[in-house]
Amino acid sequence: MVCFPCNSIDEISSGGMSGGGAALVSIDTREGGASVSGSAVVSVTGQVWDDFHFVLPLDESGDGTTDEYQDRTRHNLHGTGGVGENSPTLDLGVFCLPCQQFVSRDFIIIPDDNLDTSDGFTVSMWLFMDKTYEERAFFTRGGTADDWNFTIGQSYLNHIWARIRLVGDEDETITHYAFSERLQLDTWYHVSATWNPQSSLTVSVNGVLHASTETPQTHMVSSSGNGGYIGRKQALSLTGRLQEIRLQPVRNSAWLEAEYYNFCNAGFVIFGGQEEAIFV
């Protein structure tokens, strides 16, 4: 395995006490906690992801077992890998946290999110592309055939594109596209797409806006109750790695930039003074 840290750090502590090479950390690692050498036990308290629709870290080993990729929100939108050889494999990703490597026809099925899209949404994830000259999908909302209504993926020349199918004024289906600049292979990127009804479809990379297209429509095409896929749309299977996929309410550029830096900038962590241990 290869480790892909974004920046080197000396130490991050989030309360608890270290003794004998172990520590108890009381926040989720995806909220800033991390274990750097030694070991750590992490517990999530309360509803950390309260307004998110789903959060899939993709840190599990999969073999096609139902609900094996755990959603961290209260909605329990767990993913199921493709049966047998069509399940992705576990690897190391950003900040040396686990990710999923997709090759050939690997994919993950996710259930219908029952999302009310009238307020729009944002999809974000970490991406590592292994091949160029292939159009591939990272996340598809809406199931099989032409029933999809939203997709984010890569173009033939490694642009990040987002596609959304909307209902026009006369029940005409309109597909909008937004393309990023061309990205490099063998590099981790934080990519996201946001749809604001009656406004725009945007694509951001590492928290920075790359593309925007106007979308005056108010409604998406129905997906007939189908869920979606991670790692493919029909035959458009990803060759690369994905980590920390989140479906959430519309987020602005400041939020997306913070998501990026929360993983990838050691200076984003603020160190406080030393606290005395309190024993109860």
Side-chain angles (χ1 to χ4, degrees), residues 1-278:
M1 291 185 180
V2 180
C3 186
F4 297 96
C6 300
N7 288 280
S8 60
I9 61 172
D10 296 324
E11 180 182 3
I12 294 180
S13 59
S14 300
M17 182 179 69
S18 177
L24 178 64
V25 183
S26 60
I27 65 171
D28 190 281
T29 58
R30 287 162 295 279
E31 286 292 290
S35 172
V36 182
S37 74
S39 60
V41 177
V42 179
S43 61
V44 180
T45 57
Q47 292 295 340
V48 179
W49 310 105
D50 189 50
D51 68 337
F52 287 73
H53 304 305
F54 70 63
V55 173
L56 294 166
L58 303 182
D59 56 3
E60 301 91 353
S61 294
D63 59 7
T65 302
T66 301
D67 295 343
E68 58 196 343
Y69 299 100
Q70 292 290 296
D71 173 22
R72 299 306 199 262
T73 75
R74 66 184 186 278
H75 302 296
N76 297 320
L77 296 172
H78 309 308
T80 301
V83 177
E85 296 180 354
N86 289 331
S87 288
T89 56
L90 196 65
D91 208 330
L92 287 179
V94 179
F95 213 65
C96 296
L97 296 175
C99 72
Q100 296 297 321
Q101 182 173 22
F102 294 78
V103 296
S104 185
R105 296 183 179 274
D106 296 341
F107 63 92
I108 296 172
I109 303 170
I110 51 176
D112 183 12
D113 54 47
N114 295 308
L115 174 64
D116 180 2
T117 60
S118 61
D119 293 327
F121 58 87
T122 292
V123 174
S124 66
M125 67 195 71
W126 284 94
L127 162 72
F128 186 94
M129 294 178 290
D130 286 331
K131 286 188 177 182
T132 190
Y133 307 127
E134 294 182 347
E135 183 174 295
R136 293 294 183 255
F138 314 144
F139 166 71
T140 300
R141 186 179 183 274
T144 60
D146 290 327
D147 205 23
W148 65 272
N149 52 31
F150 172 83
T151 308
I152 181 172
Q154 71 184 86
S155 74
Y156 179 77
L157 294 176
N158 288 10
H159 307 90
I160 304 302
W161 49 251
R163 304 178 182 181
I164 192 167
R165 297 173 67 216
L166 303 172
V167 177
D169 295 335
E170 298 179 357
D171 293 328
E172 178 185 3
T173 298
I174 302 173
T175 302
H176 289 272
Y177 301 81
F179 286 84
S180 76
E181 299 172 7
R182 185 176 179 181
L183 304 184
Q184 302 299 311
L185 294 178
D186 302 328
T187 301
W188 279 101
Y189 292 100
H190 181 273
V191 300
S192 63
T194 297
W195 180 52
N196 274 295
Q198 294 184 284
S199 178
S200 62
L201 173 67
T202 61
V203 169
S204 296
V205 179
N206 292 345
V208 178
L209 178 66
H210 270 225
S212 179
T213 183
E214 293 184 0
T215 58
Q217 296 80 6
T218 59
H219 293 92
M220 299 177 66
V221 173
S222 172
S223 60
S224 303
N226 289 328
Y229 291 105
I230 294 172
R232 85 169 190 184
K233 174 190 176 289
Q234 294 170 282
L236 302 180
S237 299
L238 170 67
T239 302
R241 303 166 205 182
L242 292 175
Q243 179 178 341
E244 200 72 25
I245 299 183
R246 302 175 179 181
L247 176 62
Q248 50 192 306
V250 169
R251 306 300 194 189
N252 60 25
S253 58
W255 179 285
L256 295 172
E257 188 176 13
E259 267 200 3
Y260 166 66
Y261 281 122
N262 195 31
F263 270 80
C264 271
N265 186 341
F268 188 73
V269 179
I270 299 175
F271 293 89
Q274 181 175 349
E275 298 289 338
E276 296 295 330
I278 299 176

